[in-house]
Amino acid sequence: MGDLSLVTLVIIAANVVVSLKGFNDFSFFERYKFNIAAITRGEKVRMFSSGFLHVDIAHLFFNMFSLYVFANVVIAFLGNFKFLLVYVVSLLLGNLLSLYFHKNEPYYSAVGASGAVMGIVYAAILLQPGMSLYLFFIPIPIPAYIFGIGYMLYSIYGMKNKVGNIGHDAHFGGAIGGYITTLLFASWLFEKNLLMVILLALPIVLLYILKKAGKL
């Protein structure tokens, strides 16, 4: 994993500062969280600001730890500026997908960097598909691409069945953001890792098919 780059450190610091403010200031939290009714009224800043708020310390830690684990892989291939673009695009696309799926639910609200972080995770898997992950509850290494595809499929299941108080659609939208921007920045992946490009696209295609068929 190595040392934190400056851009990763700035992102983590921004998440910590904004989240701590939100923990201690209810009106601040309410003003900047993702909320369908407020966004449709024109409060578009929530599409961005909600990605820096978290519900509690555990939520914040999990997202920032996941970012720490995968950030350097993306930075090593794309550099700091493109890494930042992947992060921001993933954050916004995650919230756009949430807005699309919940547009008729004015009271729907969400917070968290999960969409942006999932974009970085998906980017890292695309760029270095051979890496392995050690998950807390599984004692053997899991190939990163298996984790990525499995998580996306679980997100579809979660969206379909409304599993838990989790923004599955934001996670999925973030992963799509990471997928698209990484392929734009690293078009050589079509030659070097075409199979992985296709495999990681399968959950995205499945989501489209299910939505068109009215199953979501």
Side-chain angles (χ1 to χ4, degrees):
M1 289 179 282
D3 296 328
L4 282 172
S5 73
L6 180 60
V7 68
T8 309
L9 190 59
V10 168
I11 290 172
I12 291 175
N15 273 274
V16 169
V17 169
V18 175
S19 293
L20 289 176
K21 172 70 173 172
F23 296 158
N24 297 300
D25 187 338
F26 179 74
S27 63
F28 178 85
F29 185 90
E30 290 294 306
R31 191 182 313 127
Y32 292 110
K33 71 180 182 180
F34 180 94
N35 174 261
I36 296 294
I39 291 168
T40 53
R41 281 199 306 268
E43 297 177 28
K44 300 294 191 291
V45 69
R46 293 172 182 261
M47 295 287 288
F48 183 74
S49 60
S50 60
F52 293 87
L53 289 166
H54 291 82
V55 293
D56 54 33
I57 289 290
H59 185 208
L60 173 63
F61 174 79
F62 181 78
N63 276 337
M64 294 305 98
F65 181 74
S66 300
L67 178 64
Y68 164 69
V69 169
F70 290 97
N72 281 354
V73 175
V74 180
I75 291 169
F77 282 93
L78 301 183
N80 286 319
F81 181 67
K82 289 178 179 177
F83 164 81
L84 183 60
L85 285 179
V86 173
Y87 187 91
V88 172
V89 168
S90 299
L91 189 165
L92 294 175
L93 203 55
N95 280 339
L96 277 171
L97 198 67
S98 285
L99 185 63
Y100 175 70
F101 274 97
H102 299 282
K103 58 183 178 291
N104 297 319
E105 303 169 43
Y107 296 107
Y108 180 85
S109 298
V111 293
S114 302
V117 172
M118 196 62 200
I120 296 300
V121 171
Y122 228 60
I125 294 169
L126 265 175
L127 293 163
Q128 195 169 308
M131 65 181 175
S132 296
L133 306 177
Y134 287 87
L135 304 180
F136 296 115
F137 48 87
I138 301 176
I140 57 173
I142 304 290
Y145 71 92
I146 296 293
F147 169 80
I149 293 169
Y151 192 89
M152 291 281 271
L153 293 175
Y154 172 71
S155 292
I156 292 176
Y157 172 79
M159 291 160 66
K160 183 174 173 58
N161 296 284
K162 295 180 167 52
V163 175
N165 188 27
I166 299 170
H168 296 286
D169 30 46
H171 295 177
F172 203 101
I176 294 174
Y179 181 83
I180 292 171
T181 48
T182 301
L183 291 177
L184 286 173
F185 293 145
S187 57
W188 50 266
L189 287 167
F190 287 103
E191 293 181 15
K192 294 286 184 69
N193 292 318
L194 181 59
L195 177 60
M196 199 55 56
V197 170
I198 294 170
L199 284 175
L200 290 174
L202 293 179
I204 300 171
V205 174
L206 177 61
L207 178 75
Y208 176 78
I209 292 170
L210 289 173
K211 184 62 180 174
K212 291 291 285 185
K215 302 293 186 182
L216 286 174

